[in-house]
């Protein structure tokens, strides 16, 4: 996937791949690799890729997005049914395929509403036949990706999942559609060895799409409404707001989007964001912070707003707190506040365990913590900062690994400030021990200043006097939570597919250990997962019959959902348990 190419609508990619002959489909992955190695030039809304000295593929993207198959043209003799057009679409980022709102400005209806039966009583709303069919298509396509694993999920399987996503969108299932697109973009990032790819994120994305597609055909009432989702997040009038800048973070996604998001808080501690995200790469992620924010006519940049304030009239806010930038919004610069001053100080007054519980229950995942840096620990993905948070041992990891962003370099320098007590902003990473991604911190030598760790670059001179050069982290202690015996099998299936678990065979020792430690359900799920992976029947001639991808996907989904739920419970216990232990010691 190349950030130099404009995003392409899922329906376009699906249509171009579907039009290929079986022979060309087998060559599609090689065609994508070859095309990505060719030079691309942009002229306004047009991107031109030189296939060879005589042939170009041209992508026309009015408004920044390719929305029709006829907007991708090729000069070769086999066009329009050539491999090049499908390869170009498969190599480009996936665009948002959200349908346009209706005349009233709201998304089109997504299905039936509750209707009275013959007795006059209201019957629960159910999915329409088209929605049930679309959900099954999404499940089957996602199951095929899981069956093959990311190593085997090439452009053809990706296109089939994109086709299912587009069908779901048309059927009024935006949540399933968005989840399917997320899987495709994550698979592409994994196959391209994108620095921002994380196996856990891809596993979560597969869990999400399989879960919603599996549950939706049988859901009713409010549960069905949640599974359908909403095509757009409406901005609602919010009157006048007085906002105080908190920090800015760069955005650099595996889907080819980049920019910056600035977080603010109002007088009651409610969080609001201002974003500038568009197709682009690392250069846009680092440069967007110095662009003016898109609220009213203020000239404040994102970097300036993160330390200043904003007075907004006629404000509109989405359910997630994003500020609208409509014509009626007015905004002027106002004084900001230090993290230790009101109203921002109250964000750090909430106990850490309560913040974690709020995040796990669907609330904001930002954590506002006061920590003492204690050292580093070495993990597979790189060194983590160790910190003490009111008695809770906390691991702080870099929020992004792209070398263009200074997260990891800043984290390495902060490791030299052992003993420093800092206020920080981090993003929760659910797990069996306290862990978060470090986003912003108070300056190590000036508590009134702050550092946006994805944008600002610390220098050794910024550290406290006498700070030592960062030392290599000590090896991380093994994850002793027995749940990892199930989690690792769930994760192994994502890159390698069914065959990895089938070759691994049964694990009676692991299952016995889980039962011995009181996790009988986990043991049952582990055994069922291996049984489903190895279940291949043969016909009367001894030939293997096609695998039951649905059964394997359901077994994997059950194990993944169970692991997620138990890990969330362990996460709450880790934060709350450590805090309770410290409180008990203080009272003795």
């Amino acid at each position: 996937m190349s950030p130099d190419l404009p995003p392409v609508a899922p329906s376009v990619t699906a249509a171009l791949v579907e039009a290929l002959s079986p022979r060309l489909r087998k060559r599609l992955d090689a065609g994508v690799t070859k095309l990505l190695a060719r030079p691309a030039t942009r002229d306004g809304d047009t991107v031109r890729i030189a296939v060879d000295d005589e042939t170009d593929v041209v992508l026309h993207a009015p408004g920044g997005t390719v929305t029709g198959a006829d907007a991708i043209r090729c000069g070769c003799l086999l066009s329009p049914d050539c491999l090049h057009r499908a390869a170009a679409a498969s190599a480009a980022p996936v665009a948002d395929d959200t349908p346009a709102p209706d005349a009233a400005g709201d998304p089109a209806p997504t299905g039936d509403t509750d209707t009275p039966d013959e007795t006059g009583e209201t019957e629960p709303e159910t999915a329409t036949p088209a929605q049930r069919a679309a959900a099954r298509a999404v499940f089957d396509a996602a199951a095929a990706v899981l069956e093959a694993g990311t190593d085997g999920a090439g452009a053809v399987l990706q296109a089939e999942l994109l086709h299912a996503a587009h069908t779901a969108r048309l059927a009024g299932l935006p949540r399933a559609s968005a989840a399917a697109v997320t899987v495709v973009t994550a698979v592409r990032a994994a196959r391209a060895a994108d620095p921002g790819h994380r196996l856990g994120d891809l596993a979560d994305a597969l869990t999400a799409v399989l879960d919603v597609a599996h549950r939706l055909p049988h859901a009713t009432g409010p549960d069905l409404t949640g599974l359908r989702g909403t095509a757009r997040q409406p901005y609602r009038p919010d009157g006048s707001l007085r906002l105080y800048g908190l920090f800015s973070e760069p955005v650099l996604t595996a889907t080819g989007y980049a920019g910056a998001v600035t977080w603010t808080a109002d007088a009651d501690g409610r969080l609001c964001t201002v974003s500038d995200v568009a197709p682009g790469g690392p250069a846009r992620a680092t440069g967007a912070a110095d662009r003016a924010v898109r609220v009213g006519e203020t000239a404040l940049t994102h970097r300036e707003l993160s330390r200043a304030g904003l007075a907004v009239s006629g404000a509109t806010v989405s359910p997630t707190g994003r500020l609208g930038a409509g014509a009626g919004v007015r905004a002027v610069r106002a004084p900001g506040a230090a993290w230790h001053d009101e109203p921002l100080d109250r964000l750090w007054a909430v106990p850490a365990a309560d913040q974690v519980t709020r995040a796990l229950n669907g609330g904001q995942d930002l954590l506002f913590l006061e920590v003492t840096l204690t050292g580093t620990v070495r993990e597979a993905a790189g060194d983590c900062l160790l910190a003490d948070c009111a008695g809770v041992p906390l691991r702080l990891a870099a929020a992004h690994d792209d070398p263009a962003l200074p997260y990891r370099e800043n984290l390495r320098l902060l490791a030299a400030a052992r003993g420093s007590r800092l206020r920080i902003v981090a993003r929760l990473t659910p797990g069996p021990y306290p862990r978060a991604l470090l986003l912003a911190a108070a300056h190590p030598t000036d508590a009134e200043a702050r550092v946006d760790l994805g944008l600002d670059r610390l220098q050794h001179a910024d550290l406290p006097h006498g700070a030592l050069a960062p030392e290599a982290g000590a090896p991380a202690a093994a994850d002793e939570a027995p749940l990892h015996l199930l989690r690792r099998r769930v994760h192994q299936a994502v890159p390698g597919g069914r065959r990895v678990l089938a070759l691994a065979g049964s694990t009676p020792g692991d299952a016995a250990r889980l039962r011995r430690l009181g996790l009988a359900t986990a043991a049952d799920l582990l055994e069922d997962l291996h049984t489903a992976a190895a279940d291949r029947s043969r016909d009367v001639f001894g030939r293997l019959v096609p695998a039951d991808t649905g059964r394997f996907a359901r077994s994997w989904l059950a194990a993944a959902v169970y692991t997620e739920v138990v890990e969330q419970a362990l996460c709450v216990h880790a934060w709350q348990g450590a805090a309770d232990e410290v409180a008990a010691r203080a009272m003795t």
Side-chain angles (χ1 to χ4, degrees), residues 10-25 28 69 80-83 85-87 89-90 155-164 166-167:
S11 56
V12 173
T13 305
L16 291 176
V17 173
E18 188 176 11
L20 293 177
S21 66
R23 180 180 65 85
L24 290 180
R25 286 192 179 193
L28 181 56
D81 298 323
C82 64
L83 181 69
R85 298 173 70 221
S90 300
V156 173
L157 286 181
Q158 294 170 26
E160 290 174 356
L161 186 51
L162 289 177
H163 182 272
H166 181 62
T167 301

Side-chain angles (χ1 to χ4, degrees), residues 166-371:
H166 181 62
T167 301
R169 178 73 71 176
L170 294 179
L173 303 178
R175 181 176 170 184
S177 177
V181 169
T182 298
V183 169
V184 172
T185 54
V187 166
R188 290 182 179 181
R191 291 172 62 87
D194 189 294
H197 164 68
R198 288 186 172 89
L199 176 59
D201 293 341
L202 177 51
D204 291 344
L206 273 168
T207 302
V209 70
L210 288 170
D211 183 50
V212 68
H214 175 69
R215 292 164 54 200
L216 194 143
H218 315 288
T220 60
D223 187 35
L224 174 60
T225 300
L227 290 172
R228 282 173 174 160
T230 55
R232 293 177 182 270
Q233 290 192 341
Y235 285 82
R236 296 184 174 87
D238 211 330
S240 297
L241 295 176
R242 176 67 170 88
L243 302 175
Y244 300 83
L246 274 167
F247 73 101
S248 289
E249 62 173 319
V251 175
L252 183 58
T253 74
T255 63
Y257 287 83
V261 173
T262 298
W263 292 82
T264 67
D266 67 9
D268 297 322
R270 182 181 58 157
L271 300 182
C272 296
T273 60
V274 181
S275 62
D276 180 1
V277 179
R284 194 179 197 286
T286 56
D290 295 313
R291 297 164 61 99
V293 298
R294 298 178 178 177
V295 179
E297 298 178 354
T298 178
L300 277 173
T301 66
H302 284 268
R303 195 185 301 271
E304 292 169 337
L305 176 58
S306 69
R307 292 158 175 80
L310 206 63
V312 186
S313 62
T316 58
V317 183
S318 77
T320 59
R322 183 175 177 179
L323 289 176
V329 179
R330 299 288 182 268
V332 296
R333 180 172 186 155
W339 282 359
H340 284 84
D341 296 336
E342 289 293 337
L344 301 185
D345 182 65
R346 68 185 62 182
L347 296 172
W348 278 264
V350 180
D354 292 349
Q355 296 186 50
V356 170
T357 301
R358 176 186 64 197
L360 293 176
N361 289 334
Q364 183 52 247
D365 63 355
L366 292 186
L367 303 179
F368 300 89
L369 309 173
E370 194 150 0
V371 303

Side-chain angles (χ1 to χ4, degrees), residues 260-538:
V261 173
T262 298
W263 292 82
T264 67
D266 67 9
D268 297 322
R270 182 181 58 157
L271 300 182
C272 296
T273 60
V274 181
S275 62
D276 180 1
V277 179
R284 194 179 197 286
T286 56
D290 295 313
R291 297 164 61 99
V293 298
R294 298 178 178 177
V295 179
E297 298 178 354
T298 178
L300 277 173
T301 66
H302 284 268
R303 195 185 301 271
E304 292 169 337
L305 176 58
S306 69
R307 292 158 175 80
L310 206 63
V312 186
S313 62
T316 58
V317 183
S318 77
T320 59
R322 183 175 177 179
L323 289 176
V329 179
R330 299 288 182 268
V332 296
R333 180 172 186 155
W339 282 359
H340 284 84
D341 296 336
E342 289 293 337
L344 301 185
D345 182 65
R346 68 185 62 182
L347 296 172
W348 278 264
V350 180
D354 292 349
Q355 296 186 50
V356 170
T357 301
R358 176 186 64 197
L360 293 176
N361 289 334
Q364 183 52 247
D365 63 355
L366 292 186
L367 303 179
F368 300 89
L369 309 173
E370 194 150 0
V371 303
T372 300
L373 303 182
T374 58
T376 59
V377 63
R378 188 182 307 121
E379 296 184 338
D383 286 355
C384 286
L385 270 177
L386 291 179
D388 179 88
C389 178
V392 176
L394 172 64
R395 298 186 187 193
L396 297 170
H400 204 291
D401 288 326
D402 194 287
L405 305 178
Y407 279 119
R408 189 158 293 284
E409 180 183 343
N410 285 334
L411 186 144
R412 190 176 299 114
L413 274 173
L414 285 174
R418 292 186 298 276
S420 297
R421 187 167 181 79
L422 303 174
R423 283 194 168 183
I424 65 169
V425 182
R427 180 166 285 117
L428 176 67
T429 302
Y433 49 81
R435 181 183 179 87
L437 304 178
L438 187 57
L439 301 173
H443 195 281
T445 58
D446 182 1
E448 295 297 309
R450 65 195 75 161
V451 181
D452 296 336
L453 295 171
L455 297 171
D456 304 325
R457 293 186 180 272
L458 284 169
Q459 305 295 325
H460 192 72
D462 295 321
L463 302 180
H465 180 68
L468 302 176
E471 298 178 355
D479 180 6
E480 294 299 332
L483 193 65
H484 80 278
L485 299 173
L486 179 60
R487 185 201 316 116
R488 71 182 180 186
R489 296 303 186 191
V490 169
H491 283 188
Q492 278 180 343
V494 175
R498 172 206 288 263
R499 65 185 181 277
V500 170
L501 297 188
L503 291 173
S506 63
T507 54
D510 288 348
R513 183 183 175 193
L514 288 168
R515 287 195 174 89
R516 189 168 58 250
L517 294 170
L519 293 174
T521 301
D524 291 342
L525 290 170
L526 179 61
E527 290 176 339
D528 183 68
L529 183 59
H530 279 284
T531 300
D535 184 14
R536 293 296 303 276
S537 303
R538 296 181 181 272

